[in-house]
Amino acid sequence: MAARVKQLEKEIIRLKGELELKHIIIQRQKELIDNLQKEEVIHLCDLIRDTDLEIKHDVMITPRSIRALEILKEEENYISALMILVKYFRRSLLAHSSLKDNDIESLFFNMEELLLLNTHFADDLVERFNLWNNSEMDKLGDIFTEWAPRFEPYCRFGAQYDKSLLKLDKLMENPSFHQVMSDLSAGLNEFNGKTFREYFMLPIERVPMYELLVNDLLSKTPKEHVDYPLLKKASKKMKKISNQFKSTLRHAEGQIKFRSLLERGDGFETLASIPIPLEERILIDTIPVLAIYDLEDPDKLTHHEPELIILNDIIVASNFLARRIDYQLYCQPLKVVWCSVGIEESVKDLFSDRDHATEFGFVMGGPEFTWVVFTSPGSAQNIVDSINTAAGIISLEHRVGIYQFINKCVYDGSWRDGNFFGSGKLTNADGIVFDGYWDPVFSTGFGIVTDDGHSEYTGWLFDHTEVEVIEKEYTLWGDVRPDNDTWKVIDYTSKKAYLADDVILYMGETIKSIYRVKKGKVKVIQRENTLYHLGKGDVFGFSCLLPSIDSVPVRYIAEKNTEISVISYSHFKETLSQYPELKYQLFKYHFKQINYVLENHVTFDKFSEDVNLDYSQYGLGEPIQVYNCLLKMRITLPCTMYIFKDYIIYETSVFGFEELGCFRITDINSVVYDITTEKLTITTEDESYEFTSINSLEDIPDILENLQNEAEEVEPIEFERNSYDDIGMTYSDWILLLKGCSVAQYKSGKIIFDEKSPKNCWKLYQVLDGVCNFGNSKLNPRSIFGEISFLDDGHPTVVADTDVVLFHLDGFYLGTILVLNPILAGKFYVYLCSLLYKRCKFIN
């Protein structure tokens, strides 16, 4: 027994010794770590001292140079902060064997890259400051412009930032990591008192800070300074990268918030894949409200507390959300919802006995359902603004988006107030496709219908997704030739007989009648060339009805004894006013005649002259600047802006529509240019003019500011509105058709018209900027093409010779309007005939 006690005593002594030894080792390790941290802090101080950016020469002191030096000093401080993160925290954490290198590297992500990046950026700043007193080198705008795209690594850091913070929170749960971070932070507190998290967020603030620094330096730079235009350019570049960075940051934050939303379960997890996302789905915001009711189904079951969940592609009413129901019952595409603040009394009455139904709220309408949202006082407008901002909505009326109905029909295109409106494609559940223009006002559409592989260009009537093809005896997309019944309506006023080789009409002769061959034959001659022959029933002389056409471009000669019916201009015009539907038949027929001549007997280098405003008649001298742009009037139209010393003249000439306006420089109250949208707004005492860039407009505010300082009071210039004839298109007709226009851009080499495209595909273009190729012809600015497609025989290939900007009249829209208004169809073909006659005149 005594031996056993002695053995135990020896074992206790041995264990005490090992324990004391282990304690000594741990203490020594701690001392070594403390010493290492002190060495790191000392080393860090040395590193930071080394970052003092040395300028070799004194800089002349001005408000601008003081701000520029502050930029350099701020860059020095920022690099010091990056060194603390990379050289102190990151390296110290990697030195601990108890921590995994992968965890540390994922935490700091690309900070080492940022440190290297900013070090080189600072070197460029220092190099420039060493040349600062040279007036040609007193600039920073060029450096920021060059470096702006190089700051892209900050976007990658921003995309990882929220994940890094989550990683940090998780690592802090590890006792070893927590202890090391506490020790490192304690050492740093002795240095400058900042915490790790305060340092860690500095890169997030850096790129937006550069945008502010550049703009601040710009505000302290005289406009005549060499750096002023460079800083303006740099400001634009920095705004672009800053917006890109902020967008990346919001996206990353939205990813994390969306994952948290899915973790709620109870149906919320279905939002990951239902409806099928067209892009990565992220959460933008969750907005609690008092109540959400479905106007079509006020008693719809609710499953969760009322909340509007705004994702980047859909908006969800959480109280309707449930598994195993059609997703259209609880969510709507963000792009195609319309919100209206305020609730009508009749709607309030429907829910007066419901919980939380108050006086305040808004109505949200979509393709199939309308939700009534009740809110607390004063919050409805803010919520609606949040929804519109999330959707990126510019127009509060027109939207573009895709929606699948509960009946499995899918519509992809333009909308207005929950209805198809504009160009779009509806694919029915049975596979029939309607691709064209939709007008809910008349419940009519027009375009290409594809059924079982067969395509037809036609019109249709529709009620939501119920579509019926139009069956009409009179259609716009068929062949047209005036028949005897048509001519009986017109009634001939006289007849003339001609012997063989008699001249019926001389080239250049002024005509005031329409001619129809009763019997015999007529040949049409230009110079010595016979262009074509006319036989019984053929008509000529339509040019007397066309605006700006005052003479015959060819000779008409009787080929043998011929009898001609003659209808006077005044009688024909009066008949058309009584029977306007005849105009379409007659002028589409004549349009084919003119085009036959152009196609078979004429070659030319360009389709139309580049006509510019004849401003000499107003005694204005030469313009200071001329700009091609878009002007928003009742509709948005191409415009040429002429800036003179005392006036701005804007000229719109698109297809057959012309508008000319003017205001004085002294009438201008404000000039605002938005860099982001490239939109210029000029406000006078009477009007507000909104111009959008085709060529850059950003220098206009400076030009106008200088002109305003020197402008004199002058008499206003009044322009007479273009007189539209009563046979063709009127001013209001053009306004209606031009609503279906848009701007289209094509890269060099891109096919605009393809001769292999389906026939009966109407399109009309006018070149705004650039050049197109049409066979051996060049289509220059102001040239019009595409009218041949209205012959229903296809169109020759047109290719962009350079990068081009075109104004495009949507054929589907035009077709819809003309189907609904055949009288307007006749007027439009009068315009097309005028267009071809002008080409003949230009060629001659």
Side-chain angles (χ1 to χ4, degrees), residues 412-432:
D412 186 1
S414 297
W415 303 74
R416 187 172 75 178
D417 293 332
N419 296 307
F420 310 156
F421 187 93
S423 296
K425 179 167 70 175
L426 175 69
T427 304
N428 280 346
D430 57 8
I432 301 177

Side-chain angles (χ1 to χ4, degrees), residues 237-508:
K237 293 282 188 181
M238 289 309 308
K239 183 178 182 65
K240 182 178 179 180
I241 189 68
S242 179
N243 287 342
Q244 182 183 341
F245 174 77
K246 292 172 185 175
S247 176
T248 301
L249 206 59
R250 286 193 298 270
H251 186 87
E253 183 182 1
Q255 288 176 314
I256 292 173
K257 289 161 71 175
F258 183 56
R259 283 196 292 269
S260 297
L261 177 70
L262 300 181
E263 289 170 1
R264 291 186 187 181
D266 200 15
F268 286 94
E269 72 282 357
T270 63
L271 296 176
S273 57
I274 300 176
I276 298 172
L278 300 178
E279 56 183 318
E280 182 185 14
R281 188 163 286 161
I282 62 172
L283 176 62
I284 295 174
D285 203 359
T286 54
I287 305 176
V289 293
L290 298 179
I292 305 174
Y293 295 105
D294 189 329
L295 191 58
E296 283 78 18
D297 184 7
D299 297 319
K300 183 188 290 187
L301 292 175
T302 60
H303 306 276
H304 305 280
E305 288 298 313
E307 187 178 32
L308 287 173
I309 300 173
I310 305 175
L311 305 172
N312 56 319
D313 61 337
I314 57 175
I315 184 165
V316 178
S318 63
N319 53 316
F320 299 144
L321 175 63
R323 300 188 186 97
R324 294 182 292 280
I325 65 171
D326 292 317
Y327 65 82
Q328 293 89 344
L329 297 172
Y330 58 80
C331 82
Q332 304 197 50
L334 198 56
K335 296 286 187 183
V336 290
V337 293
W338 281 259
C339 299
S340 175
V341 176
I343 302 174
E344 295 180 1
E345 291 300 325
S346 57
V347 176
K348 289 179 184 177
D349 292 342
L350 288 174
F351 303 102
S352 59
D353 59 340
R354 305 299 178 95
D355 292 340
H356 305 296
T358 68
E359 293 291 315
F360 309 99
F362 61 95
V363 177
M364 182 189 304
E368 289 189 277
F369 301 101
T370 301
W371 298 341
V372 182
V373 183
F374 290 98
T375 67
S376 57
S379 64
Q381 186 63 59
N382 292 335
I383 296 173
V384 169
D385 290 343
S386 297
I387 293 170
N388 290 338
T389 300
I393 290 171
I394 298 174
S395 169
L396 296 180
E397 294 183 356
H398 296 85
R399 313 281 172 78
V400 176
I402 185 170
Y403 182 79
Q404 177 174 310
F405 292 83
I406 289 179
N407 65 8
K408 306 305 179 185
C409 292
V410 177
Y411 178 80
D412 186 1
S414 297
W415 303 74
R416 187 172 75 178
D417 293 332
N419 296 307
F420 310 156
F421 187 93
S423 296
K425 179 167 70 175
L426 175 69
T427 304
N428 280 346
D430 57 8
I432 301 177
V433 177
F434 299 85
D435 188 359
Y437 195 89
W438 306 74
D439 189 336
V441 176
F442 301 104
S443 299
T444 309
F446 189 90
I448 297 174
V449 179
T450 303
D451 183 9
D452 197 23
H454 173 72
S455 296
E456 181 184 5
Y457 197 64
T458 185
W460 55 76
L461 300 172
F462 72 94
D463 180 10
H464 224 42
T465 58
E466 298 296 323
V467 186
E468 179 184 358
V469 173
I470 296 174
E471 299 291 343
K472 296 178 66 175
E473 293 181 5
Y474 172 77
T475 61
L476 287 171
W477 47 96
D479 192 22
V480 171
R481 180 184 176 89
D483 55 20
N484 287 327
D485 291 337
T486 299
W487 293 110
K488 285 178 183 177
V489 172
I490 293 174
D491 187 23
Y492 309 115
T493 55
S494 65
K495 297 177 183 178
K496 288 186 178 181
Y498 297 87
L499 300 176
D501 297 326
D502 282 354
V503 177
I504 302 169
L505 287 172
Y506 286 94
M507 184 173 178

Side-chain angles (χ1 to χ4, degrees), residues 23 116 186 477 498 539 569 583 613 624 758 802:
H23 178 73
L116 183 63
W477 47 96
Y498 297 87
V539 186
Y569 168 75
K583 197 179 296 183
L613 175 68
I624 296 170
T802 64

